[in-house]
Amino acid sequence: MSSHPTVERRSAAATTPRETRLWHSQAHMPSVKRSERVIDRGEGAYIWTEDGHRLLDLPASLWYANVGHGRPEIAAAIADQLGRIEAYSTFQRYATRPALELADRLADMAPLDDPRICLTSGGSDSVELAAKLVRRFWDVQGRPEKRLIVTRDEAYHGLHGFGTSIVGIEANREGYGELVRETARIDTNNPESLQALIHERGADTIAAVFCEPVIGTGGVIPPAPGYLEAIARLCREHDILFVADEVITGFGRTGRMFACDRYDLRPDLMLTAKGISSGYLPLGAVFVARRVWEPFWADGSELVFRHGLTYAGHATACAAAMANLDVLEAEDLVLRVAELEPVLVAALAPLADHPLVLEVRAGVGLLGAVQLHDGALAAEVAERMCEHGVLGRQLNDGALHISPPFVITEQEIATVAETIAEALDWAQAKA
Ligand code: PLP
């Protein structure tokens, strides 16, 4: 018998693809069930597949590996916390020190009025909690008719019940029937569309507008100049809650700690996940401004927000987040994103002239997309990029996804642009 059974098993798997039993997220299983790309390890901006290929992690997994892979200091913080207590519920009066410290730290960094922090297990959980909280808030204000949750046409807010109901990407909603009622959509980048909705439905029916400062999964669509500010202003003027979904943009992705800082927004709720822990453990957080939390916290109040998740405030996930934020601060990585923003813009700009390219979208931190005329080509182009060492991924609308770890270098950004150009040339020559 081999003394290296693991190695033996791996090479067997590499030569005899068998049908997986893992049901991949958002995957067309007939296409992937015998062709999984198995990731074995990571370091910095790179990952390695089990069969030994090194790939520059251009999408930072799913927009979250912000401080880069394989950080020993985060692994050590996790191990340390596991050695004390892995987790304890935060229901009723219970708490753990990492959950308390993280809540304090987040509250101090946030662009909200004296926030309170609800911890969750990820982005969809944050959306679900926020959607229930905005409705409950109006209910306790004696205005239960304020129920509508408004989102933008290309929005993505995760795929739990509320998220699926408010998503702007139609395919994500098909086949489930009506999940959550009383939702509405507005144009992606035209504030007059919200004005019209207010006129049509009445502000007294609208609970909140949920808004990704930069639309991510829908195609990396930066806000039109003044758009976010106009939406926030309309919300203020009409007594509608403004909810910033910073699941992608939070914790540095736009070159500021939060996109709300960049666009000078003061949301009533701010939703986060991903970059809060850079994916070292699953975690999310909802920041709640004073106006919304106060009725539930006031001495003498009888109110309870009856929402809660078993793993809310999971001690080890919180310890991972604290260590992740330490790295972000110690290495000035948010500033680094701001420095790299023009580098990325300049590197991608020439791709706009390629005959296969409709447009290049960039200019907000380390976020970008190369939109092809024929979206159906994006998967092939992305695959070609992988063959040349850069992990290509297509977004929902047939654009190439760009959101690298913050530790990417200028040289690596140049390599990304060259690799995309080569893959586009290859696809064009083939057509
Ligand atoms: N909100 C936004 C803006 C997202 O981009 C995502 C995921 O990509 C979510 C919510 C859902 O997060 P999760 O997949 O962690 O549930």
Side-chain angles (χ1 to χ4, degrees):
M1 211 176 127
S2 164
S3 58
H4 300 291
T6 317
V7 172
E8 195 173 83
R9 207 168 45 241
R10 281 180 192 168
S11 51
T15 51
T16 329
R18 66 169 183 89
E19 192 165 307
T20 188
R21 285 184 285 180
L22 175 66
W23 197 333
H24 290 237
S25 299
Q26 301 216 19
H28 177 247
M29 287 312 299
S31 312
V32 304
K33 65 184 179 186
R34 283 195 202 86
S35 62
E36 292 161 298
R37 181 169 281 131
V38 184
I39 309 305
D40 183 42
R41 66 189 175 92
E43 196 181 317
Y46 290 91
I47 53 168
W48 280 260
T49 62
E50 254 187 9
D51 49 4
H53 288 118
R54 188 182 81 147
L55 292 165
L56 181 58
D57 187 8
L58 188 55
S61 184
L62 273 184
W63 325 81
Y64 65 70
N66 291 357
V67 301
H69 300 285
R71 292 274 189 175
E73 57 275 59
I74 305 181
I78 290 170
D80 186 54
Q81 184 58 42
L82 286 174
R84 286 168 180 276
I85 184 158
E86 66 292 343
Y88 206 84
S89 120
T90 56
F91 276 44
Q92 284 88 36
R93 68 188 311 158
Y94 293 93
T96 57
R97 192 50 60 195
L100 294 170
E101 286 176 359
L102 181 63
D104 276 340
R105 187 167 184 173
L106 296 176
D108 286 342
M109 8 183 0
L112 278 83
D113 174 26
D114 189 20
R116 299 293 183 264
I117 308 295
C118 302
L119 294 171
T120 71
S121 310
S124 298
D125 282 349
S126 293
V127 169
E128 202 77 3
L129 186 150
K132 286 173 70 179
L133 184 52
V134 295
R135 288 188 171 184
R136 182 92 168 98
F137 169 76
W138 290 117
D139 195 60
V140 305
Q141 299 297 309
R143 303 178 70 185
E145 69 287 355
K146 276 174 86 65
R147 283 273 158 77
L148 266 187
I149 296 185
V150 178
T151 51
R152 300 158 78 194
D153 276 341
E154 260 110 349
Y156 184 79
H157 298 289
L159 292 178
H160 286 351
F162 270 97
T164 302
S165 304
I166 61 179
V167 69
I169 301 162
E170 290 301 328
N172 284 327
R173 232 200 327 265
E174 275 166 19
Y176 307 115
E178 190 173 26
L179 298 177
V180 176
R181 295 166 54 205
E182 297 167 297
T183 65
R185 290 238 298 283
I186 53 173
D187 184 83
T188 306
N189 248 332
N190 179 1
E192 282 173 22
S193 169
L194 177 59
Q195 181 81 68
L197 182 79
I198 293 169
H199 185 69
E200 186 193 325
R201 306 286 291 265
D204 52 358
T205 68
I206 303 177
V209 176
F210 280 50
C211 196
E212 295 165 89
V214 178
I215 284 184
T217 302
V220 183
I221 306 172
Y227 173 80
L228 294 169
E229 297 84 338
I231 294 292
R233 194 172 50 248
L234 281 169
C235 286
R236 220 173 21 253
E237 284 169 10
H238 294 276
D239 210 12
I240 295 166
L241 296 176
F242 177 64
V243 180
D245 183 342
E246 295 232 24
V247 166
I248 286 176
T249 52
F251 303 100
R253 176 68 54 200
T254 69
R256 297 290 298 271
M257 190 56 83
F258 299 103
C260 286
D261 295 317
R262 181 168 175 142
Y263 297 105
D264 202 18
L265 306 170
R266 292 285 167 274
D268 298 297
L269 272 79
M270 187 173 82
L271 320 184
T272 64
K274 299 191 191 271
I276 192 171
S277 62
S278 290
Y280 279 80
L281 283 173
L283 186 69
V286 177
F287 296 64
V288 184
R290 170 183 284 277
R291 177 183 185 197
V292 179
W293 61 255
E294 211 160 34
F296 299 90
W297 286 59
D299 290 329
S301 168
E302 304 270 306
L303 299 172
V304 173
F305 177 42
R306 287 203 169 273
H307 185 86
L309 305 168
T310 298
Y311 296 132
H314 188 284
T316 310
C318 292
M322 291 293 280
N324 171 62
L325 297 177
D326 287 347
V327 170
L328 207 63
E329 286 172 13
E331 298 183 13
D332 263 336
L333 288 177
V334 181
L335 186 63
R336 178 74 182 142
V337 173
E339 286 167 2
L340 288 175
E341 176 181 307
V343 178
L344 183 65
V345 170
L348 297 180
L351 297 173
D353 297 329
H354 195 283
L356 296 188
V357 173
L358 175 66
E359 70 174 348
V360 170
R361 295 187 286 270
V364 185
L366 279 179
L367 282 167
V370 177
Q371 178 75 54
L372 306 189
H373 285 287
D374 177 2
L377 282 179
E380 278 183 67
V381 173
E383 206 43 47
R384 176 77 178 180
M385 289 165 62
C386 290
E387 285 165 23
H388 286 77
V390 175
L391 200 155
R393 173 172 188 264
Q394 63 161 329
L395 289 167
N396 178 63
D397 61 348
L400 300 169
H401 173 173
I402 296 164
S403 65
F406 301 171
V407 292
I408 195 169
T409 64
E410 283 87 344
Q411 182 51 49
E412 286 160 346
I413 288 175
T415 303
V416 164
E418 285 159 20
T419 307
I420 296 175
E422 192 284 334
L424 290 168
D425 288 344
W426 167 85
Q428 192 191 11
K430 212 166 69 80

